[in-house]
Amino acid sequence: MVRLRIHHRTSYRYLQPVSLGPHRLMLRPRESRDLRLHSIEVEVTPPATVTWAHDVAGNAVATASFQTMTDHLVVDSVAELELDAAAWPVFDIAASAIGYPFRYSDDEWADLGPLAARQYQDPVGRLTNWARAFVRGDTTDTLSLLRDLCTGVSTAISYQSREDEGTQSPIETLDRGWGSCRDFAVLFVEAARCLGFGARLVSGYLYNPSQDIFGARSAGSTHAWAEIYLPGAGWITFDPTSRSVGGANLIPVSVARDIHQVIPVAGSFVGAVNAFQEMTVEVLVSS
């Protein structure tokens, strides 16, 4: 078990005062049997009215509403938590799902819904064929298949940090041969859906004290990874960027069907077309 402090600061600068629309903040870590949240403080400058709610996926979402014009916006959050995720977890997968292919129950299939549906076009079947190449024979071990797929993403794609907004489509990532952690996660999830798995994207933080894990340039950073649902075991964590399975070193904040649904800070402003100057993000994860 490790006790962590996460300081996440997002700053926006404008060349002249603008009117800020409501901003959606996804900064509160998701509590679970592996993660115990002790405290979370969110401070917004200029002053805002902050309200909390849970979205359809159970993520804690804050909405900041502003009354005054400003030439800057700072969202500062500090969370303290305990992380107790096993480094080498054992998954109690149901006997019916140990071998692939398998069939989800009717209830599971109904609840997974869009999480099992593909989100990107694949007109010539390139992604489908790439994903199916990891299936070894008519029947294969399910967990081994997913591990191979997870490793296969980072084998085929070179990691490259990107500061620009947006995420590449899976086909773009395969074509370019490089991507960020969010591109890796989207490719893995969409490939898993090609094979019939229920999958979702996860956004949060990576704790990297030894600074030897891909996806972080320091002891901690924002990060994106994936979860696959397997009967009996439930949602299993896969991080294709670091080729890891299980939640050790990962602090989840939000889960969703699509990567655009888990942006930590999102909002709008009304002002001159060239009013926006810069955005900076600083993350410090420390024990």
Side-chain angles (χ1 to χ4, degrees):
M1 178 184 295
V2 60
R3 181 154 182 161
L4 300 176
R5 183 180 189 270
I6 302 171
H7 185 188
H8 184 166
R9 181 184 179 92
T10 304
S11 303
Y12 297 85
R13 296 290 174 182
Y14 306 93
L15 294 174
Q16 58 192 38
V18 299
S19 178
L20 296 172
H23 276 59
R24 185 171 181 264
L25 315 178
M26 303 184 80
L27 300 167
R28 181 187 175 95
R30 286 174 64 94
E31 295 178 86
S32 68
R33 66 179 183 276
D34 296 328
L35 190 155
R36 180 183 178 187
L37 182 65
H38 288 279
S39 64
I40 174 76
E41 295 182 8
V42 178
E43 183 177 341
V44 181
T45 306
T49 300
V50 178
T51 58
W52 289 87
H54 284 88
D55 66 10
V56 68
N59 303 308
V61 182
T63 300
S65 301
F66 303 88
Q67 302 297 325
T68 60
M69 298 185 69
T70 183
D71 62 0
H72 69 281
L73 167 62
V74 179
V75 180
D76 220 352
S77 73
V78 177
E80 294 190 357
L81 55 90
E82 288 181 356
L83 184 64
D84 192 24
W88 304 100
V90 176
F91 304 107
D92 190 16
I93 301 171
S96 61
I98 288 177
Y100 175 87
F102 66 90
R103 184 182 182 278
Y104 288 114
S105 70
D106 291 344
D107 283 343
E108 289 170 333
W109 189 252
D111 289 335
L112 287 171
L115 297 177
R118 297 171 62 174
Q119 306 294 308
Y120 294 86
Q121 297 294 321
D122 185 22
V124 298
R126 184 180 178 199
L127 179 62
T128 300
N129 293 333
W130 184 81
R132 287 177 178 169
F134 292 93
V135 180
R136 317 296 184 187
D138 295 335
T139 303
T140 188
D141 181 78
T142 301
L143 189 57
S144 295
L145 167 60
L146 291 169
R147 282 174 172 157
D148 288 346
L149 182 61
C150 182
T151 302
V153 170
S154 56
T155 300
I157 308 301
S158 298
Y159 175 78
Q160 182 172 318
S161 177
R162 289 194 297 113
E163 299 300 331
D164 53 313
E165 296 183 4
T167 304
Q168 298 172 174
S169 72
I171 299 299
E172 286 177 319
T173 301
L174 287 175
D175 285 343
R176 294 175 179 177
W178 58 267
S180 66
C181 62
R182 59 186 184 274
D183 302 317
F184 278 51
V186 167
L187 173 58
F188 174 78
V189 163
E190 194 71 358
R193 288 170 176 163
C194 287
L195 300 177
F197 291 99
R200 63 189 184 185
L201 280 303
V202 189
S203 177
Y205 303 99
L206 171 64
Y207 177 52
N208 184 21
S210 59
Q211 301 186 36
D212 60 355
I213 302 175
F214 278 130
R217 291 166 294 177
S218 60
S221 67
T222 56
H223 196 53
W225 61 95
E227 291 180 346
I228 305 291
Y229 183 81
L230 293 182
W235 291 103
I236 297 180
T237 297
F238 292 87
D239 183 3
T241 306
S242 62
R243 306 185 181 187
S244 64
V245 181
N249 297 94
L250 297 172
I251 301 100
V253 170
S254 50
V255 300
R257 166 183 52 84
D258 193 279
I259 194 70
H260 80 271
Q261 298 173 300
V262 292
I263 298 173
V265 179
S268 61
F269 72 88
V270 177
V273 175
N274 63 345
F276 178 77
Q277 182 178 12
E278 66 174 353
M279 179 189 76
T280 59
V281 178
E282 303 168 77
V283 175
L284 176 63
V285 182
S286 56
S287 60

